[in-house]
Amino acid sequence: PLGNIVTRLENSIILSNYKMTNHYRRFHFIILLAILAISYNYAFGSSAIVAGKILNYSSKKVTLEVYYTDAIWMHDNFSRQTLKTDSEGRFKFKIDNVVNVLFENKIKIGSDLYYLMVGPGDSIYIDFQMKESTDIIKFSGNGSQKNYFFSDIMKQISSKETDNNQSWLIESLNKLKSASNDYGINASDQELIQQFLLCQYYNNYAFFYANGGRYISDNEPKPISDGDINLMQNFLNKTTKMDWYYLYYSALNGYMEWLDIKKVPKDLSPVEKFFFDMKLIDENFIGLKNEQLKAYHIWHLVFWKSKELRKSSQVLNYLSDYLDNCQNIRIQNGVKTMLIDNKFKI
C-alpha cells in the first residue's frame, strides 16, 4: 500500500515532458520522505520518552508499566520495564509503537505508585521530591502538562473512591478547567481528558445494565432517565477522539444492553441473541463504529466460551464474512488472531 501511495504521488508530480531541476528533485525527495514518515507512524506509532529524577533515590529500582488501552480485540498485554536510577537518582524509559494515547500507565517507586498519561511523541520529565508528609512532583517537557491533572484523577478512579456518578463528572470537569488554566494544558489534551472522563462516566451505565438495573455499589435499583440515555447516545455517536479506547466500547455495549432491554424478544437462544445483537448494531451504527462494536461482541462470544455459538455453522460463516468484509485492517487482524488463538474454525 505504501508503494502505491508513492507511485501515485510520483505520477501526480512528474508530468510528461517536464524536466525537473535539482531544486525540484530535492523538493520531491523531501515530500516522499514526509509521506513515508506519516505512513510509518500511522501503521506502527511513534516512540515516547518518560524520564526524571528522584531526590535521595540513587541506584534503586524504578518500574514503568505501560497499558495499551486500545479496544479489547486489539489489546496488547501491558509491558513492564524496570531499571535502577543512576548515582543522582535519574532514570529514563522509552516506549515504542505508541499509536494512540495511553491512559493507564504506572510508575512504581518503592511502595509508591504514580499514574501517567502518555501520547505519541511525548517526552515527559518528572521531578520527584518524596517526603514523609507529602510528595512534590513537577512535570516538564513535551506532553507533560496534562499529567498535573490526569495523575490525580487516575489515582482517584483506581482507588475506587468514587462511583463515577454525575456529581463526580461535573466536579472533575470543573477541576480539569481549572488545571488547564493553571498549568497550560493544551486544547487537544483537554478534549481527550474530557472524553476520557465521559467514558468513565458512561461506562458506569454499562455496569448498571449488566447488573439488571443496579449500580454495583448500590442495593436498590436506580432508574435512568430518557434524558440521560439521549446524552449518552449523543456522546457515543458523535465522539471521534476515543473510538479506539476500550472503555468507549464498554459504554457502547451498555447502550446496546439498553436497546436489548427495549427491543429483544424473550427466550432467544445464544445463537439467536448473537444475530439479534448484530442486527441492532447494523441498525444503529455505520462505518468504523459498526466494525468495532461487532468486534467487541465477537470478543464477548470468545470470552463466554459458549459451545453452542462455537459449533454453530451460521455463526462461523458470519465470522468469516465479517473478516472478509472488514475495512479496517487492524481490526481485521486483531479479530482474526483472537479467533484463531481461541481455536475457532474459520
Side-chain angles (χ1 to χ4, degrees), residues 62-335:
V62 179
T63 299
L64 174 66
E65 293 184 353
V66 176
Y67 290 80
Y68 295 91
T69 46
D70 285 1
I72 295 294
W73 50 93
M74 305 177 188
H75 195 76
D76 297 317
N77 292 327
F78 76 91
S79 67
R80 179 187 285 124
Q81 302 179 52
T82 300
L83 51 76
K84 284 188 176 181
T85 57
D86 67 12
S87 59
E88 296 184 8
R90 293 177 298 197
F91 63 90
K92 182 178 180 180
F93 295 101
K94 182 182 179 184
I95 309 170
D96 292 319
N97 303 325
V98 183
V99 177
N100 295 305
V101 172
L102 307 174
F103 289 111
E104 299 170 21
N105 312 296
K106 304 173 185 177
I107 285 188
K108 294 182 178 180
I109 304 171
S111 60
D112 295 311
L113 189 64
Y114 305 91
Y115 293 89
L116 281 178
M117 175 179 168
V118 181
D122 280 358
S123 183
I124 299 171
Y125 189 86
I126 314 164
D127 186 7
F128 293 95
Q129 296 182 38
M130 305 172 71
K131 299 183 179 181
E132 289 185 9
S133 57
T134 183
D135 297 338
I136 300 174
I137 304 174
K138 295 180 180 179
F139 296 98
S140 58
N142 182 48
S144 62
Q145 293 85 356
K146 56 183 174 277
N147 281 295
Y148 276 110
F149 172 82
F150 191 82
S151 183
D152 286 340
I153 201 70
M154 194 64 204
K155 184 176 181 180
Q156 183 189 88
I157 291 169
S158 299
S159 65
K160 312 295 184 185
E161 292 175 6
T162 176
D163 288 333
N164 301 350
N165 55 26
Q166 195 170 79
S167 60
W168 169 84
L169 176 66
I170 294 169
E171 181 183 356
S172 298
L173 291 173
N174 286 333
K175 286 181 179 178
L176 172 61
K177 186 176 180 181
S178 297
S180 299
N181 293 330
D182 293 341
Y183 300 110
I185 302 173
N186 65 50
S188 178
D189 284 338
Q190 285 182 56
E191 187 177 1
L192 270 172
I193 296 172
Q194 182 186 68
Q195 294 194 4
F196 168 84
L197 294 172
L198 287 168
C199 279
Q200 294 289 333
Y201 172 58
Y202 286 125
N203 187 55
N204 206 32
Y205 282 141
F207 284 121
F208 179 94
Y209 297 128
N211 284 273
R214 295 175 183 269
Y215 286 107
I216 285 178
S217 61
D218 292 347
N219 294 319
E220 297 297 328
K222 286 186 176 180
I224 294 180
S225 69
D226 288 341
D228 280 336
I229 287 295
N230 289 338
L231 288 172
M232 182 180 183
Q233 184 181 27
N234 186 58
F235 168 72
L236 294 173
N237 276 319
K238 288 189 176 180
T239 183
T240 56
K241 286 278 187 178
M242 301 295 286
D243 61 7
W244 50 268
Y245 182 47
Y246 78 104
L247 280 186
Y248 175 80
Y249 288 93
S250 181
L252 262 181
N253 191 56
Y255 177 65
M256 286 293 298
E257 291 282 346
W258 178 80
L259 289 176
D260 271 358
I261 291 169
K262 295 286 185 180
K263 298 182 179 182
V264 67
K266 293 181 178 180
D267 302 321
L268 291 182
S269 70
V271 171
E272 290 171 333
K273 178 66 166 57
F274 174 80
F275 283 104
F276 184 84
D277 285 340
M278 292 303 178
K279 182 182 177 183
L280 273 181
I281 294 171
D282 284 334
E283 289 173 352
N284 288 275
F285 300 97
I286 60 172
L288 181 62
K289 285 188 176 64
N290 181 288
E291 290 185 351
Q292 298 251 42
L293 190 52
K294 284 180 177 177
Y296 186 94
H297 277 258
I298 293 169
W299 173 78
H300 269 278
L301 179 155
V302 172
F303 179 79
W304 291 112
K305 303 183 185 301
S306 167
K307 291 182 179 180
E308 184 177 345
L309 288 168
R310 283 174 175 267
K311 293 181 178 180
S312 168
S313 59
Q314 286 179 288
V315 171
L316 294 176
N317 288 336
Y318 184 91
L319 295 177
S320 295
D321 289 342
Y322 169 84
L323 291 173
D324 289 342
N325 295 307
C326 188
Q327 297 297 305
N328 187 293
I329 301 300
R330 194 163 177 233
I331 298 173
Q332 183 189 58
N333 290 338
V335 172

